[in-house]
Amino acid sequence: MVVVKVHGLTKKYRDFTLSDVSFTLSSGRITGFVGRNGAGKTTTIKSMLGMVHPDSGSVSYFDMPFAGNEAAIKKRIGYSTGTVSWYPRKKIIDIVDIVKRFYDTWDDEAYRNYLRLFEIDEKKTPRELSEGMKVKLNLALSLAHRSDVLILDEPTSGLDPFSRNELLNIFEELRNRGTTVFFSTHIVSDLEKCADDIIYISKGKIINSMPKSEFSQKYSNAGESLEDTILRLEGGVFNA
């Protein structure tokens, strides 16, 4: 079932244009949004969340247009940049007490489950956490209000290989629980690890959106890894 529809998003800046971006996200699947730095991933995500106002195009969630239904939709989606930058000296338990007041859908039992799943010590402060644990804390806060869709902007950037692998395993667990996971990345091995679908963006344009297996069949040469394929595509060589 399609839960997110992005249609014709266009945003022009002086030195960059996001051009006619369209794709859909399906329920209970992990979609990797891949492209090099500056390809338009963050602009797309911010447009999806009303943080950037596109020049044209539309976004809908759960068959509701985002425009006019923002408050209702944001109760059902979670967003994370992968970092925690607020209240670095406050204990996590105190931060959560503040955050949950913004959501009438906050689920304390779900939050406790994610604390256990992510092994978070809420007696610590964010400044005492590793980068990997900061990402997990942000995920817990994003998910504890019963998010059906999780949107993540470069969540594995800056993490060590062990923490990245652990986070990707968490994505798979969330998918198994029925959560739709959409994450941007320029690290292609992340896609090889856990993505069901790939949306590939280059220079502000969507090159293709399809299941990972179909992407490899369509674009990969014999013996190529997914990373090799995308590096070749970024070089402008679309055929063997």
Side-chain angles (χ1 to χ4, degrees), residues 6 15 21 28 35 43 69 76 79 118 120-121 123 149 163 167 174-175 189 196 206 214 217 223 229-230 235 238:
V6 175
D15 55 356
V21 166
T43 300
N69 297 286
R76 299 180 62 185
Y79 167 65
F118 300 158
I120 296 170
D121 181 357
K123 295 180 182 178
V149 176
S163 295
L167 184 60
L174 294 174
R175 175 191 58 196
S189 59
D196 300 305
I206 299 295
E214 292 183 19
Q217 290 173 6
T229 299
I230 291 180
F238 281 77

Side-chain angles (χ1 to χ4, degrees), residues 20-41:
D20 194 28
V21 166
S22 300
F23 57 84
T24 61
L25 303 179
S26 297
S27 177
R29 292 179 70 83
I30 299 173
T31 300
F33 190 29
V34 65
R36 68 193 306 166
N37 290 335
K41 301 187 300 295

Side-chain angles (χ1 to χ4, degrees), residues 15-199:
D15 55 356
F16 174 78
T17 299
L18 189 72
S19 181
D20 194 28
V21 166
S22 300
F23 57 84
T24 61
L25 303 179
S26 297
S27 177
R29 292 179 70 83
I30 299 173
T31 300
F33 190 29
V34 65
R36 68 193 306 166
N37 290 335
K41 301 187 300 295
T42 295
T43 300
T44 299
I45 288 176
K46 287 185 175 180
S47 297
M48 292 170 65
L49 296 166
M51 300 166 69
V52 163
H53 298 290
D55 299 322
S56 60
S58 62
V59 181
S60 64
Y61 295 83
F62 320 112
D63 292 324
M64 295 186 293
F66 186 74
N69 297 286
E70 183 173 346
I73 287 170
K74 283 189 172 180
K75 290 181 180 179
R76 299 180 62 185
I77 64 176
Y79 167 65
S80 174
T81 61
T83 60
V84 176
S85 57
W86 57 87
Y87 305 124
R89 298 175 186 273
K90 275 188 172 290
K91 290 185 178 180
I92 293 168
I93 191 170
D94 296 323
I95 294 172
V96 171
D97 187 56
I98 294 169
V99 171
K100 69 182 183 180
R101 299 176 192 178
F102 291 93
Y103 297 98
D104 57 16
T105 54
W106 183 272
D107 187 331
D108 270 318
E109 182 178 355
Y111 170 67
R112 294 293 164 191
N113 286 337
Y114 288 120
L115 279 186
R116 289 190 289 271
L117 176 65
F118 300 158
E119 299 180 335
I120 296 170
D121 181 357
E122 63 180 350
K123 295 180 182 178
K124 290 186 175 181
T125 65
R127 66 181 301 188
E128 295 177 294
L129 302 180
S130 67
E131 291 304 310
M133 290 305 295
K134 288 178 182 178
V135 173
K136 290 180 183 180
L137 172 58
N138 221 11
L139 284 176
L141 296 177
S142 298
L143 288 163
H145 57 94
R146 306 177 196 166
S147 301
D148 297 309
V149 176
L150 188 60
I151 299 174
L152 309 166
D153 191 11
E154 298 279 1
T156 62
S157 181
L159 298 184
D160 63 80
F162 178 82
S163 295
R164 278 176 46 217
N165 186 67
E166 188 176 33
L167 184 60
L168 297 175
N169 287 335
I170 288 170
F171 290 172
E172 293 179 312
E173 174 65 24
L174 294 174
R175 175 191 58 196
N176 294 339
R177 297 182 180 202
T179 303
T180 298
V181 179
F182 176 64
F183 74 101
S184 67
T185 187
H186 61 274
I187 305 171
V188 181
S189 59
D190 290 352
L191 307 180
E192 293 182 301
K193 167 69 178 177
C194 71
D196 300 305
D197 303 310
I198 291 177
I199 300 171

